[in-house]
Amino acid sequence: MLLIALLLPLFQDPSEVPLDVVTDTSGHEHLGVILLDTKDLFVLQEGSKTKEYARKKIAIMAGPRVAYRSYCDKLEMVYAQHASAKDAVELAEWCQTNGLLRDVEIHYWQALVKDPQNAAARTALGHRRNGEEWQAPTDRGAWLTLEDLNAWHTEQNQPWLFYTAHFQLEANADLADALRAAAHLELLYGRYYEVLQELAGFYELLVPLKVRIYANRESGYPEVGPTILGYFDWQTEVINTWFEQGSAKNLVRITCHALQFRGATERARARPDDYPGWLSEGVATYFDSSFTENDALADFHFQRLNLDWLRIHQQAKPALDLDEVLNLPITGFQDRKKSDLAHAQAYSLLFFLLHEGNQDSKTGFGKYLHGVFSGKGGSSAFKKSFPSKTYRGLEKEWTDFVVKSVLRDQK
């Protein structure tokens, strides 16, 4: 699962992405990008063609997207507070060995966060010794100490530039915070792919998402409204937010907006102008509610209910009916203070369909999601995805789930 590049202090362009090597049961090798790998279906981008194979026909897989499956777990360990520079260097070497060649440098920078004198990281990054101190090059031909380089990159017009697995990140911040944001984005992508690849047919992204994180809200962040706490710009396709106490504001929610948009765009090969608003916010709220920040990157607890949202739904007089929720436009969610009920019901519906519905409703929901990522996400498509009897009982089962969950919490 990889669209990889590297952290570059010299602002170079990332190199071409390595291909995966897939061998079928007949012994034939195929070179391409692994887009989807489920228990039944395997999808490979071979040149300009997308080819599907029965999963049982695939014998061996190798390459960066195969190695990426264990990459996120390693990220969690290396970016924890207790990790050492040695851990970061070892991850860089692991990436080198496993074909993640353009992921190597970001971990050498992390090694310098832990130990600025680490010779292995300094040498790998092309730094030089000047007497007793190490110096790093800038894109303008200057050589700076790490302390001065760090200060330089906090300036509005001189952000750090990272190319990570699926993101191009510009960040005005202390190096440690900027690196943590980059690693956090990759971890989120990995978890997102795990949850939605098989159920929704979410393909590996081929084009990196652009992310711009400002030092604070007052230092150049492009405001679009006082209640909008970071956003994905659907026109420029850039995630915009700022740092607050070392963490990027609302990064999980707005990145989920971007992942859905780009996933649907690449799969359908067209901009999803009618992407369902309830799904966009339901997925974003689901991941945001599952996320807990810790001394490393994050924990995601997908079985955990956010009862605050369920109470808003349960206490509404009246709540929106199923058809109203399915037809909510994306623009209806922009002002959070005026749309709490819409957020709550989008979240409760998504959680119900993912975890609480019967097998027919889960199967129908999966069918609907495949349609969404193929460009067919309207309310009529939702209805047609379910058996008639299942759809007729869906609204009552959803409402009962919300009521019972709230009541159970009160006991």
Side-chain angles (χ1 to χ4, degrees), residues 368-384:
Y368 166 72
L369 290 175
H370 277 263
V372 170
F373 282 110
S374 299
K376 301 173 183 178
S379 58
S380 60
F382 183 93
K383 183 176 181 178
K384 292 177 182 177

PDB file of all heavy atoms in Angstrom, residues 368-384:
ATOM      1  N   TYR A 368     -23.206  -0.890  -1.491  1.00  0.00           N
ATOM      2  CA  TYR A 368     -23.398   0.557  -1.681  1.00  0.00           C
ATOM      3  C   TYR A 368     -22.055   1.283  -1.706  1.00  0.00           C
ATOM      4  O   TYR A 368     -21.809   2.139  -2.569  1.00  0.00           O
ATOM      5  CB  TYR A 368     -24.272   1.103  -0.557  1.00  0.00           C
ATOM      6  CG  TYR A 368     -24.284   2.609  -0.446  1.00  0.00           C
ATOM      7  CD1 TYR A 368     -24.938   3.390  -1.396  1.00  0.00           C
ATOM      8  CD2 TYR A 368     -23.647   3.253   0.613  1.00  0.00           C
ATOM      9  CE1 TYR A 368     -24.954   4.772  -1.294  1.00  0.00           C
ATOM     10  CE2 TYR A 368     -23.666   4.633   0.722  1.00  0.00           C
ATOM     11  CZ  TYR A 368     -24.320   5.386  -0.228  1.00  0.00           C
ATOM     12  OH  TYR A 368     -24.336   6.762  -0.122  1.00  0.00           O
ATOM     13  N   LEU A 369     -21.157   0.939  -0.779  1.00  0.00           N
ATOM     14  CA  LEU A 369     -19.866   1.609  -0.720  1.00  0.00           C
ATOM     15  C   LEU A 369     -19.042   1.367  -1.983  1.00  0.00           C
ATOM     16  O   LEU A 369     -18.369   2.274  -2.479  1.00  0.00           O
ATOM     17  CB  LEU A 369     -19.087   1.140   0.510  1.00  0.00           C
ATOM     18  CG  LEU A 369     -19.621   1.601   1.860  1.00  0.00           C
ATOM     19  CD1 LEU A 369     -18.822   0.954   2.987  1.00  0.00           C
ATOM     20  CD2 LEU A 369     -19.573   3.109   1.987  1.00  0.00           C
ATOM     21  N   HIS A 370     -19.089   0.169  -2.513  1.00  0.00           N
ATOM     22  CA  HIS A 370     -18.409  -0.104  -3.783  1.00  0.00           C
ATOM     23  C   HIS A 370     -18.964   0.812  -4.875  1.00  0.00           C
ATOM     24  O   HIS A 370     -18.206   1.301  -5.717  1.00  0.00           O
ATOM     25  CB  HIS A 370     -18.580  -1.569  -4.177  1.00  0.00           C
ATOM     26  CG  HIS A 370     -17.610  -2.495  -3.517  1.00  0.00           C
ATOM     27  ND1 HIS A 370     -16.451  -2.912  -4.128  1.00  0.00           N
ATOM     28  CD2 HIS A 370     -17.622  -3.073  -2.287  1.00  0.00           C
ATOM     29  CE1 HIS A 370     -15.787  -3.714  -3.326  1.00  0.00           C
ATOM     30  NE2 HIS A 370     -16.482  -3.836  -2.191  1.00  0.00           N
ATOM     31  N   GLY A 371     -20.266   1.030  -4.847  1.00  0.00           N
ATOM     32  CA  GLY A 371     -20.866   1.927  -5.817  1.00  0.00           C
ATOM     33  C   GLY A 371     -20.421   3.363  -5.625  1.00  0.00           C
ATOM     34  O   GLY A 371     -20.161   4.088  -6.602  1.00  0.00           O
ATOM     35  N   VAL A 372     -20.317   3.790  -4.365  1.00  0.00           N
ATOM     36  CA  VAL A 372     -19.877   5.165  -4.078  1.00  0.00           C
ATOM     37  C   VAL A 372     -18.493   5.413  -4.656  1.00  0.00           C
ATOM     38  O   VAL A 372     -18.249   6.420  -5.323  1.00  0.00           O
ATOM     39  CB  VAL A 372     -19.872   5.421  -2.554  1.00  0.00           C
ATOM     40  CG1 VAL A 372     -19.180   6.753  -2.248  1.00  0.00           C
ATOM     41  CG2 VAL A 372     -21.294   5.459  -2.016  1.00  0.00           C
ATOM     42  N   PHE A 373     -17.562   4.482  -4.425  1.00  0.00           N
ATOM     43  CA  PHE A 373     -16.204   4.675  -4.918  1.00  0.00           C
ATOM     44  C   PHE A 373     -16.096   4.461  -6.427  1.00  0.00           C
ATOM     45  O   PHE A 373     -15.058   4.746  -7.014  1.00  0.00           O
ATOM     46  CB  PHE A 373     -15.234   3.766  -4.165  1.00  0.00           C
ATOM     47  CG  PHE A 373     -14.874   4.285  -2.800  1.00  0.00           C
ATOM     48  CD1 PHE A 373     -15.328   3.662  -1.663  1.00  0.00           C
ATOM     49  CD2 PHE A 373     -14.101   5.421  -2.664  1.00  0.00           C
ATOM     50  CE1 PHE A 373     -15.012   4.140  -0.403  1.00  0.00           C
ATOM     51  CE2 PHE A 373     -13.774   5.922  -1.412  1.00  0.00           C
ATOM     52  CZ  PHE A 373     -14.232   5.285  -0.286  1.00  0.00           C
ATOM     53  N   SER A 374     -17.174   4.002  -7.023  1.00  0.00           N
ATOM     54  CA  SER A 374     -17.216   3.896  -8.484  1.00  0.00           C
ATOM     55  C   SER A 374     -18.040   5.023  -9.102  1.00  0.00           C
ATOM     56  O   SER A 374     -18.297   5.021 -10.299  1.00  0.00           O
ATOM     57  CB  SER A 374     -17.810   2.544  -8.896  1.00  0.00           C
ATOM     58  OG  SER A 374     -17.021   1.483  -8.417  1.00  0.00           O
ATOM     59  N   GLY A 375     -18.474   5.971  -8.269  1.00  0.00           N
ATOM     60  CA  GLY A 375     -19.182   7.144  -8.776  1.00  0.00           C
ATOM     61  C   GLY A 375     -20.688   7.087  -8.697  1.00  0.00           C
ATOM     62  O   GLY A 375     -21.365   7.919  -9.299  1.00  0.00           O
ATOM     63  N   LYS A 376     -21.251   6.129  -7.933  1.00  0.00           N
ATOM     64  CA  LYS A 376     -22.700   6.002  -7.836  1.00  0.00           C
ATOM     65  C   LYS A 376     -23.098   5.970  -6.360  1.00  0.00           C
ATOM     66  O   LYS A 376     -23.186   4.900  -5.755  1.00  0.00           O
ATOM     67  CB  LYS A 376     -23.191   4.735  -8.543  1.00  0.00           C
ATOM     68  CG  LYS A 376     -22.834   4.695 -10.024  1.00  0.00           C
ATOM     69  CD  LYS A 376     -23.201   3.352 -10.642  1.00  0.00           C
ATOM     70  CE  LYS A 376     -22.784   3.295 -12.096  1.00  0.00           C
ATOM     71  NZ  LYS A 376     -23.086   1.965 -12.720  1.00  0.00           N
ATOM     72  N   GLY A 377     -23.329   7.169  -5.784  1.00  0.00           N
ATOM     73  CA  GLY A 377     -23.546   7.226  -4.351  1.00  0.00           C
ATOM     74  C   GLY A 377     -24.824   7.894  -3.902  1.00  0.00           C
ATOM     75  O   GLY A 377     -24.930   8.317  -2.752  1.00  0.00           O
ATOM     76  N   GLY A 378     -25.811   8.018  -4.752  1.00  0.00           N
ATOM     77  CA  GLY A 378     -27.050   8.683  -4.393  1.00  0.00           C
ATOM     78  C   GLY A 378     -27.913   7.854  -3.452  1.00  0.00           C
ATOM     79  O   GLY A 378     -27.663   6.673  -3.200  1.00  0.00           O
ATOM     80  N   SER A 379     -28.969   8.487  -2.926  1.00  0.00           N
ATOM     81  CA  SER A 379     -29.863   7.791  -1.996  1.00  0.00           C
ATOM     82  C   SER A 379     -30.581   6.628  -2.669  1.00  0.00           C
ATOM     83  O   SER A 379     -30.867   5.617  -2.031  1.00  0.00           O
ATOM     84  CB  SER A 379     -30.877   8.769  -1.411  1.00  0.00           C
ATOM     85  OG  SER A 379     -31.643   9.385  -2.439  1.00  0.00           O
ATOM     86  N   SER A 380     -30.872   6.746  -3.952  1.00  0.00           N
ATOM     87  CA  SER A 380     -31.532   5.640  -4.655  1.00  0.00           C
ATOM     88  C   SER A 380     -30.592   4.444  -4.770  1.00  0.00           C
ATOM     89  O   SER A 380     -31.018   3.287  -4.672  1.00  0.00           O
ATOM     90  CB  SER A 380     -31.993   6.084  -6.045  1.00  0.00           C
ATOM     91  OG  SER A 380     -30.895   6.511  -6.829  1.00  0.00           O
ATOM     92  N   ALA A 381     -29.297   4.715  -4.961  1.00  0.00           N
ATOM     93  CA  ALA A 381     -28.312   3.629  -5.019  1.00  0.00           C
ATOM     94  C   ALA A 381     -28.202   2.941  -3.668  1.00  0.00           C
ATOM     95  O   ALA A 381     -28.034   1.717  -3.593  1.00  0.00           O
ATOM     96  CB  ALA A 381     -26.954   4.182  -5.444  1.00  0.00           C
ATOM     97  N   PHE A 382     -28.317   3.717  -2.588  1.00  0.00           N
ATOM     98  CA  PHE A 382     -28.296   3.141  -1.250  1.00  0.00           C
ATOM     99  C   PHE A 382     -29.460   2.165  -1.098  1.00  0.00           C
ATOM    100  O   PHE A 382     -29.270   1.021  -0.670  1.00  0.00           O
ATOM    101  CB  PHE A 382     -28.395   4.260  -0.210  1.00  0.00           C
ATOM    102  CG  PHE A 382     -28.323   3.796   1.219  1.00  0.00           C
ATOM    103  CD1 PHE A 382     -27.114   3.754   1.889  1.00  0.00           C
ATOM    104  CD2 PHE A 382     -29.469   3.410   1.900  1.00  0.00           C
ATOM    105  CE1 PHE A 382     -27.039   3.325   3.211  1.00  0.00           C
ATOM    106  CE2 PHE A 382     -29.413   2.982   3.215  1.00  0.00           C
ATOM    107  CZ  PHE A 382     -28.194   2.940   3.881  1.00  0.00           C
ATOM    108  N   LYS A 383     -30.636   2.590  -1.446  1.00  0.00           N
ATOM    109  CA  LYS A 383     -31.839   1.754  -1.287  1.00  0.00           C
ATOM    110  C   LYS A 383     -31.743   0.477  -2.108  1.00  0.00           C
ATOM    111  O   LYS A 383     -32.092  -0.619  -1.633  1.00  0.00           O
ATOM    112  CB  LYS A 383     -33.076   2.547  -1.682  1.00  0.00           C
ATOM    113  CG  LYS A 383     -34.376   1.797  -1.488  1.00  0.00           C
ATOM    114  CD  LYS A 383     -35.566   2.692  -1.823  1.00  0.00           C
ATOM    115  CE  LYS A 383     -36.882   1.953  -1.606  1.00  0.00           C
ATOM    116  NZ  LYS A 383     -38.055   2.838  -1.898  1.00  0.00           N
ATOM    117  N   LYS A 384     -31.244   0.593  -3.333  1.00  0.00           N
ATOM    118  CA  LYS A 384     -31.166  -0.561  -4.232  1.00  0.00           C
ATOM    119  C   LYS A 384     -30.096  -1.569  -3.794  1.00  0.00           C
ATOM    120  O   LYS A 384     -30.118  -2.713  -4.266  1.00  0.00           O
ATOM    121  CB  LYS A 384     -30.885  -0.090  -5.652  1.00  0.00           C
ATOM    122  CG  LYS A 384     -32.038   0.678  -6.282  1.00  0.00           C
ATOM    123  CD  LYS A 384     -31.654   1.185  -7.663  1.00  0.00           C
ATOM    124  CE  LYS A 384     -32.798   2.002  -8.279  1.00  0.00           C
ATOM    125  NZ  LYS A 384     -32.406   2.569  -9.597  1.00  0.00           N
TER     126      LYS A 384
END
